[in-house]
Amino acid sequence: MVQIPNPSSAPEPSAPRSAPTSADVARLAGVSRATVSYVLNNAGAVRISEPTRRRVHDAARELGYVPHAAARSLRAGHSRTVLMPAPSFPAGPLYSGFLSELQWALGRLDYTVVQYGSVGLHGDEAARAWAELRPVAVLVPGRGPGPRGVEILKRSGARAVVTLGPEAVKGAHALLMDHAVVGHRAVRHLVERGRRRIGVVMPAEDGLEFFSAPRLAGARDAVRGTDATVTELPLAHEERAAARLADRWDSLGLDAVFAYNDEYAMLLMRALQDAGVRVPGDTALIGADDLMLGRLLRPRLSTVHLELPSGRDLAALVDRAVHDPGAAPERREVLGATVVHRESS
Amino acid sequence: MVQIPNPSSAPEPSAPRSAPTSADVARLAGVSRATVSYVLNNAGAVRISEPTRRRVHDAARELGYVPHAAARSLRAGHSRTVLMPAPSFPAGPLYSGFLSELQWALGRLDYTVVQYGSVGLHGDEAARAWAELRPVAVLVPGRGPGPRGVEILKRSGARAVVTLGPEAVKGAHALLMDHAVVGHRAVRHLVERGRRRIGVVMPAEDGLEFFSAPRLAGARDAVRGTDATVTELPLAHEERAAARLADRWDSLGLDAVFAYNDEYAMLLMRALQDAGVRVPGDTALIGADDLMLGRLLRPRLSTVHLELPSGRDLAALVDRAVHDPGAAPERREVLGATVVHRESS
DNA sequence: TTGAAAGCGGTACCAC
DNA sequence: GTGGTACCGCTTTCAA
């Protein structure tokens, strides 16, 4: 018996031109769209007979039905999307760890975290782009939106805006992370150990001023009222730049350096050693971020250990804020910084 | 005279309860919603008088109107969202750089990149969650969805699914990045330099097997047909674990190590040196990923330099695939790996 | 040049 | 138990 190809029995090879909707499921199951919705959402208020439930589930599975999030949240008037602009700075292990912990914690609370790639959008323009997605909350790392941006987000339904940065913005919750404290701790440490002419490495790379400027400010603050001085040392993250800096080291007359972070510290340490400068004998050196690599250097690198807020705490804050959008914005300093004294200082 | 608070004259302090819609704008401007849409989207087909345009723009600005992306894409039947599941592995500088380049390039093509935090979702379940957002394309780093997952995504409107991982999936474009080549290059290099008993460091950390397993396989492959052997060396990313490994080093009888990547290599190098093992004299050492830190070690660390696909190329591939979803899936090996011979091997 | 209205896909109220 | 139906906010014919 010859098998005649039946178009309706072979939907597989040629993909259907558009996604199946709940109406398709309803048709196939021989019920109404309402019933499909009830069944698929396990509506507690409505009782659906077991045979019907099965028919609906079978139809949905057969069609490969996937609900349309946009339609759903349009109807519902809200979503459970937490939007985070993708950071403009290169994410190190600290931030990566924080982020994945946060995603996990928000996921447990049934929120969906979405990192939005806002390239080249600035200020209110960025806020508007985020607002188009109608997130229930917005978490902004780094330089946050201005007060107008926050207002835009709230007017378009964001029940919480949280900034993670150096300054609080009106109307938004603020987890204050002023990196000045990092520079302050580092340089205070150096001063306490008797150093007086202190260099502060400033990365030449773009996107880092956001951290380096406050760290420098903190360093300046730490020498206030002492006879110690701070000197800026621009440095690109490459060997030759470090070598050039090391070559003119004697002329700088420094007896200590706070190197922005452990990576720049490592770069500089190697260059200094190659140039015959003894660390910490001639020049004390301290980094920041407490990366594993610092522990492995010779001498072991002193550093400033950072304590970021826990993802769980931040998730809880978001959840609280979402439930009570009217509450006064929280404003909390969350950046812990403690010196880890090892061998280089 | 007592000031009686007038609710209607003071909309500022108490935020409006819901977001302004295009109907609100229309009402305020004294036009229809259609006109608002025309004006705000600069519809070329329809000419709107200049005074009307101004009235609409003014009204929109005054209300802080932001269009509702969900409603828009629901009506349009498609979006320009490119979805990427947030990677399950800790993102290093390589991946971060690649990602931001990709975001930039896709942004230039007017796509919006969204990283979706799919915590604890696996297989088809994850694919369904992604499909709910009806992205125009899905880019999956690491372990991609199965063929069924791809089918789900395509049926719900994704015009392109691209995997960036070790194996091609039916129906999806594949940028093949089989890390076996990394292990192969590293170990071949060691063998060529006369080493025979070769250790391969396997990170004990979760989420890395995805890279470490293929790298080990490649290493095994490289000794096939030679008299060299490969020994697995489990190692946690902490000093004490490295010290323990170094302590029993002599008993292992190895004359070379491929250390998974530069970070583990650095960890091991320090421990070996502390234990009196000379590198490369007693044991040659090679890492991978060509991180800056390797260049700064003594001896300078040999490594395997990885070449990831450029963000621009991948963006172009996505754009092509979106325009011609019917085309045969591209399948291309994109992971370049070349040994950088320095001093440790 | 502008407006009325249909409809995208789901949900939930109200009848039956 | 189940179905009809009115929305959610926006775009886009089609008429006026």
Side-chain angles (χ1 to χ4, degrees):
Chain A
M1 188 176 176
V2 178
Q3 184 81 19
I4 298 176
N6 179 344
S8 73
S9 76
E12 282 285 281
S14 68
R17 270 291 140 261
S18 73
T21 73
S22 76
D24 297 324
V25 177
R27 209 157 17 238
L28 182 56
V31 298
S32 73
R33 296 194 310 154
T35 304
V36 171
S37 179
Y38 292 141
V39 171
L40 264 32
N41 295 308
N42 280 317
V46 191
R47 290 265 158 272
I48 303 284
S49 71
E50 202 48 46
T52 304
R53 304 178 66 86
R54 278 187 40 78
R55 288 222 309 288
V56 169
H57 276 126
D58 290 349
R61 188 158 342 107
E62 178 170 343
L63 292 176
Y65 170 72
V66 176
H68 193 306
R72 192 204 296 269
S73 70
L74 179 58
R75 171 65 230 223
H78 61 257
S79 71
R80 289 192 67 81
T81 300
V82 174
L83 183 143
M84 294 187 72
S88 54
F89 49 87
L94 251 66
Y95 185 79
S96 297
F98 165 69
L99 187 63
S100 72
E101 191 186 333
L102 175 64
Q103 286 187 348
W104 183 85
L106 282 172
R108 303 255 336 161
L109 295 171
D110 202 35
Y111 294 96
T112 294
V113 180
V114 147
Q115 280 183 270
Y116 186 96
S118 17
V119 274
L121 293 180
H122 297 299
D124 295 353
E125 203 183 346
R128 245 186 302 275
W130 305 338
E132 290 193 0
L133 299 186
R134 296 293 191 276
V136 67
V138 180
L139 261 52
V140 193
R143 177 173 316 291
R148 273 216 314 270
V150 173
E151 183 60 24
I152 288 170
L153 289 167
K154 296 202 134 180
R155 283 174 97 95
S156 24
R159 293 169 68 88
V161 179
V162 184
T163 62
L164 294 82
E167 52 196 16
V169 181
K170 182 158 176 254
H173 299 269
L175 296 193
L176 291 168
M177 313 204 315
D178 187 348
H179 282 247
V181 68
V182 179
H184 186 95
R185 292 286 187 283
V187 170
R188 191 181 64 182
H189 167 79
L190 295 173
V191 170
E192 282 172 357
R193 298 191 61 79
R195 309 288 171 156
R196 284 298 171 268
R197 306 244 328 137
I198 296 166
V200 173
V201 168
M202 298 292 287
E205 280 69 28
D206 285 343
L208 260 40
E209 328 80 39
F210 187 73
F211 297 109
S212 61
R215 288 185 182 190
L216 173 63
R220 288 231 144 84
D221 196 49
V223 295
R224 194 155 302 146
T226 75
D227 58 343
T229 61
V230 157
T231 307
E232 281 186 61
L233 300 173
L235 175 61
H237 196 250
E238 37 171 89
E239 272 195 283
R240 287 192 314 198
R244 276 196 300 273
L245 178 56
D247 279 344
R248 59 191 185 90
W249 198 253
D250 288 341
S251 72
L252 290 166
L254 302 173
D255 59 9
V257 182
F258 163 51
Y260 173 67
N261 76 4
D262 289 353
E263 295 195 6
Y264 285 84
M266 180 180 189
L267 182 64
L268 183 58
M269 187 192 288
R270 164 88 203 214
L272 288 178
Q273 289 171 337
D274 285 350
V277 178
R278 287 168 310 166
V279 177
D282 300 327
T283 299
L285 185 58
I286 186 169
D289 294 358
D290 193 11
L291 301 183
M292 165 68 73
L293 63 84
R295 247 173 291 209
L296 304 175
L297 299 179
R298 313 164 184 280
R300 292 167 188 270
L301 183 66
S302 294
T303 190
V304 179
H305 175 83
L306 297 198
E307 192 136 0
L308 262 49
S310 93
R312 276 182 307 286
D313 289 351
L314 178 46
L317 164 61
V318 168
D319 196 41
R320 246 180 296 133
V322 165
H323 281 104
D324 183 8
E330 284 190 43
R331 184 153 316 193
R332 198 158 19 113
E333 179 61 60
V334 292
L335 188 65
T338 49
V339 167
V340 180
H341 182 201
R342 293 203 271 249
E343 300 164 358
S344 69
S345 63
Chain B
M1 188 178 174
V2 178
Q3 184 80 19
I4 298 176
N6 178 344
S8 72
S9 76
E12 281 287 282
S14 67
R17 269 291 140 260
S18 73
T21 72
S22 76
D24 296 324
V25 176
R27 211 162 11 244
L28 183 56
V31 299
S32 75
R33 298 164 55 208
T35 304
V36 170
S37 179
Y38 290 142
V39 171
L40 263 35
N41 295 308
N42 281 316
V46 192
R47 292 262 158 272
I48 304 285
S49 69
E50 202 47 46
T52 305
R53 303 178 67 86
R54 281 189 42 77
R55 288 222 309 288
V56 170
H57 275 126
D58 290 349
R61 187 157 343 106
E62 179 169 342
L63 292 175
Y65 170 71
V66 175
H68 194 305
R72 191 205 294 271
S73 70
L74 181 58
R75 168 66 227 225
H78 60 257
S79 71
R80 291 191 67 83
T81 299
V82 174
L83 183 144
M84 294 187 73
S88 55
F89 48 87
L94 251 65
Y95 185 78
S96 297
F98 165 69
L99 187 64
S100 71
E101 190 186 335
L102 175 64
Q103 286 188 349
W104 183 86
L106 282 172
R108 303 252 338 160
L109 295 171
D110 202 34
Y111 294 96
T112 292
V113 181
V114 148
Q115 280 183 270
Y116 186 96
S118 18
V119 274
L121 293 180
H122 298 299
D124 295 353
E125 203 182 346
R128 245 186 302 273
W130 306 338
E132 290 194 1
L133 299 186
R134 297 292 192 275
V136 68
V138 180
L139 261 51
V140 193
R143 178 172 314 293
R148 273 218 312 272
V150 173
E151 184 60 23
I152 289 170
L153 288 167
K154 297 201 132 180
R155 282 175 97 96
S156 23
R159 293 168 68 88
V161 179
V162 183
T163 62
L164 295 82
E167 52 195 15
V169 181
K170 182 158 176 257
H173 299 268
L175 296 193
L176 290 169
M177 314 203 317
D178 187 349
H179 281 247
V181 68
V182 179
H184 185 96
R185 292 286 187 281
V187 170
R188 191 180 63 182
H189 166 79
L190 295 173
V191 171
E192 282 172 358
R193 296 191 61 78
R195 309 288 172 156
R196 283 298 172 269
R197 306 241 331 135
I198 296 166
V200 173
V201 169
M202 298 293 285
E205 280 69 28
D206 285 343
L208 260 39
E209 328 79 40
F210 187 73
F211 297 110
S212 61
R215 287 183 183 192
L216 173 62
R220 287 232 144 84
D221 195 49
V223 295
R224 193 155 303 145
T226 74
D227 59 342
T229 62
V230 156
T231 306
E232 282 186 60
L233 301 172
L235 176 60
H237 195 250
E238 38 170 87
E239 271 195 283
R240 287 191 317 197
R244 277 195 301 274
L245 178 56
D247 279 344
R248 59 191 184 89
W249 198 251
D250 288 342
S251 72
L252 290 167
L254 302 173
D255 59 10
V257 183
F258 163 52
Y260 173 66
N261 76 4
D262 289 351
E263 296 196 3
Y264 286 84
M266 180 181 188
L267 181 64
L268 184 57
M269 187 191 289
R270 164 88 203 214
L272 288 178
Q273 288 171 336
D274 285 350
V277 178
R278 287 167 310 167
V279 177
D282 300 328
T283 300
L285 185 58
I286 186 169
D289 294 358
D290 194 12
L291 302 183
M292 166 67 75
L293 63 84
R295 245 172 292 210
L296 304 175
L297 299 179
R298 312 164 184 284
R300 292 167 188 269
L301 183 66
S302 295
T303 191
V304 179
H305 176 83
L306 296 198
E307 192 136 359
L308 263 48
S310 91
R312 276 182 306 285
D313 289 351
L314 178 46
L317 164 61
V318 168
D319 196 42
R320 247 180 295 134
V322 165
H323 280 104
D324 183 8
E330 283 189 43
R331 183 153 317 193
R332 196 157 21 114
E333 179 61 61
V334 292
L335 189 63
T338 49
V339 167
V340 179
H341 183 203
R342 293 203 271 251
E343 300 164 358
S344 69
S345 64

